[in-house]
Amino acid sequence: MFMQLAGALLAASQPKKTFAQVAEFISRQTAGDLASLVEATWQQKSESFPVRDPAYARDAQENARRVLTGFQNTEIPLPEKTDHLIYAYMLENTRILEIFRRILVSFFNTENFNTPSAETLQWLDQTERLFFRDPGPLSVLAVTGELRPDADAVRRNAYHRLLGLDLNHGRGGKPGAYPYHRTDVTNQRFPVLFGQLLEEVSIGIQHAGNTSGANPTDDFRIQDLVQEIGDVMLDRRGPSQAGLAHEEFVAVTFLSWLHLAISWESPVVRDLRATASTPHERLRRLGARVKLDAHQDSRSFLQLGPDVSLLLYSIERRLEPTQQPEYFYTRGSQLRPVMDRIIHHWSHVTGTNVRSRATRLDPGTVRALGNASVIASSPASVGTGSAASGQGTAVHAARVGAKDPMPLR
C-alpha cells in the first residue's frame, strides 16, 4: 500500500520529485495520519464490504485528504489498488520483518547502537504504533484479539490458505516450523499451476521469433492455466471476493511499509550505517547489524513481490493483457518483460530452471515445483481443497505422508 502511495505521489508531483523526496514526505507523517491513509485506502478498496463505523470512516477520509493535499497543495487520489497477498509473502521470505523486529527491540531496550536521530525515533514510533501494538477495534489494522492473538500466525494462515505456501523460516527468522492454525482447505493447486504457466510461457518466449519449423507454443494451454489460476484464487475468496481480503490488506500494508524503508536512504538505514545503492543490499547490511542474515535470495524475492502481485491481480480480475496468451511471450508486449523477470527469479528462489525444462519439451517436466518447493498436504487434507481440487488428485496423492516443507529456499 505504501509503495503504491509513493508511486501515486511521484506521478502527481509537479515539479517532478525524486522517489526519496516522496518517501521522506510519507515518513514525516504522524502515526495517526498514516493510519488515516491506511483506513481511507481500505474503504476505497472495499466499497462492497460493510463499513464498521460511518463516522470513523468519514474522519479517516477527511484526514487522508488533508495529508495528501499537503504534499503540493493539490488534491491527489489514493492508490486505486493495493498488492496481492503474494507480495507480502515474497517480501516476508527475505526475513525483512524479523530483521526490523530486532531493530525495534534493540533501539527500544538497549544501547547497542548510537543514539537514533529524531527522524529515526519518529519512524520507530510510527512502526510500533501501527504494527506492533493492538490497534483500536475500529481500525482496519485490527486482525488480532482473543481468538487470534498472534499477528504472525494470522499472516501465515492466510499464505497457507490462499497460496498453498508456507514461509521459508520459522520463529525469529530461524530455520524450522512456526505454529499457526493449518486448515485442510487450502489452495494447494496454485503453486503447481503457476509453475506450469511459467513453463508454457517460457516455451512461447523461446519460440516467439520462429519463422519456420515446428513451434510447440501452446496458446490454449496458457489460456487454460490462466483460467484455472483465477478460478482457484476465487474459490478461496468466495462469491463476494471478501474472503481473506482483510488479512491480505493488513499483510501487504505492513510489508510495504518495511519495503519503503529500504527503498531509499531512510533515516533508520542511515543511523544503522546500512546505506547502499540497492534495497536488497541495504537489507543485507541491516541484517548484519542485528545479527540476522537476510535471505541469500532477497534480491529475487524483492523483485518477485511486485511482479507476481501485478500478474495475479490481473489474472484474478480477468484483465488484459492476461486474457490474450500471446501477450505473455510476444516481444514488445507490456507483459513480456514482467514474465521474463518472473521466470528468472522464480527459477532462482525455487532451485528449478524453468527455461531449461521448457527447452527439453519433455511432458514429464511439466510438473509441480518440486517436493521441496510446494507445501505438502496431510492425509486428511487430500481432496478437501477447492471445488476444483479433484482435478489434482494425482498430485495430491503423491504428497501424502510428506513432511510440511518450506516452499521457497
Side-chain angles (χ1 to χ4, degrees):
M1 177 252 159
F2 287 105
M3 293 296 285
Q4 278 98 347
L5 178 60
L9 294 176
L10 190 63
S13 62
Q14 293 294 335
K16 211 66 177 174
K17 297 184 183 296
T18 66
F19 181 86
Q21 290 173 316
V22 168
E24 184 180 14
F25 171 80
I26 295 173
S27 299
R28 285 202 310 265
Q29 307 310 309
T30 66
D33 285 345
L34 291 171
S36 293
L37 290 169
V38 170
E39 189 69 37
T41 301
W42 167 249
Q43 291 162 12
Q44 176 178 277
K45 174 184 175 65
S46 58
E47 292 178 351
S48 61
F49 302 165
V51 176
R52 291 174 298 283
D53 184 283
Y56 181 78
R58 285 195 301 271
D59 290 345
Q61 291 168 344
E62 291 173 4
N63 202 31
R65 281 194 291 270
R66 175 186 59 78
V67 172
L68 293 176
T69 301
F71 179 65
Q72 58 180 21
N73 297 320
T74 58
E75 188 168 340
I76 299 173
L78 287 163
E80 294 183 359
K81 70 179 182 67
T82 55
D83 274 303
H84 191 278
L85 182 64
I86 203 163
Y87 166 84
Y89 171 77
M90 292 296 179
L91 266 289
E92 194 162 356
N93 271 317
T94 67
R95 303 183 190 135
I96 186 173
L97 193 155
E98 297 302 334
I99 288 171
F100 274 108
R101 193 195 305 271
R102 288 195 182 190
I103 289 171
L104 267 71
V105 168
S106 294
F107 270 125
F108 288 145
N109 298 289
T110 75
E111 296 184 11
N112 293 340
F113 308 127
N114 294 332
T115 303
S117 64
E119 293 82 6
T120 294
L121 282 173
Q122 181 182 18
W123 186 88
L124 296 170
D125 179 72
Q126 292 165 329
T127 306
E128 184 185 31
R129 286 175 182 270
L130 288 173
F131 302 111
F132 289 102
R133 288 184 185 173
D134 290 335
L138 299 181
S139 171
V140 66
L141 295 175
V143 293
T144 57
E146 181 180 349
L147 301 180
R148 298 190 295 176
D150 184 352
D152 294 343
V154 171
R155 283 194 313 280
R156 288 175 183 257
N157 173 268
Y159 300 150
H160 187 211
R161 289 164 60 191
L162 187 62
L163 305 174
L165 295 169
D166 202 348
L167 292 173
N168 59 18
H169 58 268
R171 192 179 295 277
K174 298 178 180 178
Y178 190 97
Y180 66 90
H181 188 89
R182 296 169 187 260
T183 175
D184 289 342
V185 182
T186 66
N187 199 351
Q188 297 168 3
R189 297 187 65 227
F190 164 71
V192 179
L193 294 171
F194 191 71
Q196 291 175 350
L197 175 63
L198 296 187
E199 290 185 12
E200 295 295 338
V201 171
S202 184
I203 292 172
I205 289 173
Q206 292 174 44
H207 296 274
N210 282 16
T211 57
S212 62
N215 187 340
T217 303
D218 190 341
D219 282 356
F220 177 80
R221 178 67 172 148
I222 292 174
Q223 186 175 32
D224 189 52
L225 286 165
V226 168
Q227 179 71 37
E228 283 195 82
I229 289 171
D231 288 346
V232 296
M233 288 291 174
L234 294 178
D235 281 347
R236 297 277 66 76
R237 296 189 185 277
S240 66
Q241 299 189 33
L244 294 173
H246 184 198
E247 293 83 354
E248 177 181 52
F249 180 77
V250 174
V252 301
T253 298
F254 187 7
L255 271 297
S256 69
W257 174 251
L258 302 181
H259 193 185
L260 183 67
I262 63 169
S263 294
W264 66 297
E265 300 289 352
S266 61
V268 67
V269 168
R270 295 196 301 268
D271 278 6
L272 288 175
R273 301 194 302 277
T275 57
S277 60
T278 60
H280 67 270
E281 180 60 20
R282 295 182 191 114
L283 180 61
R284 187 194 68 79
R285 295 183 182 187
L286 288 171
R289 293 286 284 150
V290 294
K291 297 180 172 57
L292 176 59
D293 292 336
H295 195 278
Q296 62 182 358
D297 294 330
S298 289
R299 177 175 176 272
S300 290
F301 282 123
L302 289 171
Q303 182 65 66
L304 281 168
D307 280 344
V308 183
S309 171
L310 174 63
L311 178 62
L312 293 186
Y313 180 94
S314 300
I315 287 176
E316 280 194 38
R317 288 158 182 78
R318 318 298 192 195
L319 302 179
E320 295 287 352
T322 59
Q323 302 307 297
Q324 302 295 328
E326 63 272 17
Y327 288 174
F328 282 85
Y329 57 80
T330 301
R331 189 175 298 278
S333 76
Q334 186 179 10
L335 192 53
R336 166 66 185 272
V338 177
M339 297 309 301
D340 278 329
R341 291 194 300 268
I342 291 175
I343 288 169
H344 172 76
H345 291 292
W346 185 269
S347 295
H348 199 58
V349 302
T350 59
T352 62
N353 189 334
V354 173
R355 288 191 176 94
S356 174
R357 286 156 59 181
T359 300
R360 290 199 299 269
L361 304 180
D362 175 6
T365 67
V366 183
R367 59 182 185 274
L369 295 180
N371 291 335
S373 300
V374 183
I375 191 166
S377 57
S378 64
S381 66
V382 173
T384 61
S386 69
S389 291
Q391 300 174 23
T393 303
V395 176
H396 293 169
R399 301 189 215 136
V400 173
K403 293 182 179 180
D404 198 24
M406 289 172 282
L408 302 179
R409 298 184 305 166

